[in-house]
Amino acid sequence: MTPDDRREALVDVTIPLLHEHGRAVTTRQIADAACVAEGTIFRVFESKEDLVTAAVEKALDLEPFLADLEAVDLDQPLRQRLTDVCARLQERFRGIFALMTAMGMVGPPKAHRHMEEGRRRAERVMVAVVEPDADLLTCTPEQLVHMLRMLTFSGTHPHISDGHLLTPEQIVGTLLDGVLKPRAGEDS
């Protein structure tokens, strides 16, 4: 195995261990999970902290999420497209929230504060999911995507939602239908 392949394999086994043990994960646990001798870690990483940093960076990498968003079937009706986007956002948020909690993080690492371009790319992809039905909306596709992101974030965060997580169907239903029942004689 090349050093780069070994690094990648160690990073891959470290991510779930960070979810389970946070920063308290040991190099012995990592080595056992990778089926290597503990010293092997230090042939490709200077320190445990360097390995942990690489694992956190990979866990926060936006590229797999962007590829997932781009896979939304644009031939579906708007409600289903938004529900698919919401479910993908929730999966991303849940993973980030769980990792941050396990790691005792209150925000993204400094190295990830440059993620603005990735966020803008994700927004463009989500807007493209909405744009075919822009004429049906009372707001711009950009505004709908912003509301979807905000409601999904708060409805997925275990502390903000008080443990009452919203489903993608509830979030999209709230955005598209509101929460009021139609009154007799009113168009819905």
Side-chain angles (χ1 to χ4, degrees), residues 32-95:
D32 287 348
C35 299
V36 299
E38 198 169 357
T40 302
I41 294 170
F42 300 106
R43 288 191 196 103
V44 291
F45 287 98
E46 298 242 345
S47 67
K48 174 187 146 188
E49 191 56 38
D50 286 347
L51 171 53
V52 167
T53 298
V56 169
E57 286 176 2
K58 182 170 184 180
L60 297 178
D61 182 14
L62 266 171
E63 290 305 318
F65 173 65
L66 291 169
D68 194 34
L69 277 180
E70 289 170 346
V72 170
D73 182 358
L74 298 180
D75 292 330
Q76 299 178 94
L78 176 63
R79 182 177 302 274
Q80 187 56 50
R81 291 192 315 264
L82 285 175
T83 301
D84 285 356
V85 167
C86 184
R88 293 162 201 248
L89 277 169
Q90 282 192 314
E91 183 178 344
R92 169 91 176 153
F93 289 151
R94 277 193 301 269

Side-chain angles (χ1 to χ4, degrees), residues 137-148:
L137 304 174
T138 61
C139 61
T140 67
E142 293 81 5
Q143 290 168 324
L144 177 58
V145 165
H146 177 76
M147 289 185 280
L148 177 68

Side-chain angles (χ1 to χ4, degrees), residues 16-187:
L17 292 171
L18 292 176
H19 279 271
E20 186 177 346
H21 303 286
R23 292 192 182 280
V25 68
T26 66
T27 54
R28 167 65 25 224
Q29 291 168 315
I30 295 167
D32 287 348
C35 299
V36 299
E38 198 169 357
T40 302
I41 294 170
F42 300 106
R43 288 191 196 103
V44 291
F45 287 98
E46 298 242 345
S47 67
K48 174 187 146 188
E49 191 56 38
D50 286 347
L51 171 53
V52 167
T53 298
V56 169
E57 286 176 2
K58 182 170 184 180
L60 297 178
D61 182 14
L62 266 171
E63 290 305 318
F65 173 65
L66 291 169
D68 194 34
L69 277 180
E70 289 170 346
V72 170
D73 182 358
L74 298 180
D75 292 330
Q76 299 178 94
L78 176 63
R79 182 177 302 274
Q80 187 56 50
R81 291 192 315 264
L82 285 175
T83 301
D84 285 356
V85 167
C86 184
R88 293 162 201 248
L89 277 169
Q90 282 192 314
E91 183 178 344
R92 169 91 176 153
F93 289 151
R94 277 193 301 269
I96 290 171
F97 298 153
L99 180 63
M100 290 179 67
T101 299
M103 297 290 294
M105 299 165 64
V106 294
K110 288 183 174 117
H112 276 274
R113 301 212 190 271
H114 67 279
M115 292 174 54
E116 185 60 26
E117 176 53 31
R119 189 196 60 74
R120 284 194 301 267
R121 285 178 54 207
E123 185 172 319
R124 286 192 298 271
V125 172
M126 290 185 280
V127 166
V129 167
V130 174
E131 281 179 330
D133 291 301
D135 59 320
L136 301 175
L137 304 174
T138 61
C139 61
T140 67
E142 293 81 5
Q143 290 168 324
L144 177 58
V145 165
H146 177 76
M147 289 185 280
L148 177 68
R149 281 182 40 246
M150 295 299 102
L151 191 53
T152 303
F153 181 90
S154 60
T156 305
H157 195 286
H159 302 298
I160 296 172
S161 67
D162 295 326
H164 302 286
L165 303 181
L166 299 176
T167 67
E169 293 77 14
Q170 289 172 314
I171 292 168
V172 171
T174 300
L175 289 171
L176 295 182
D177 305 322
V179 294
L180 293 177
K181 293 179 184 179
R183 288 194 255 179
E186 282 187 359
D187 290 335

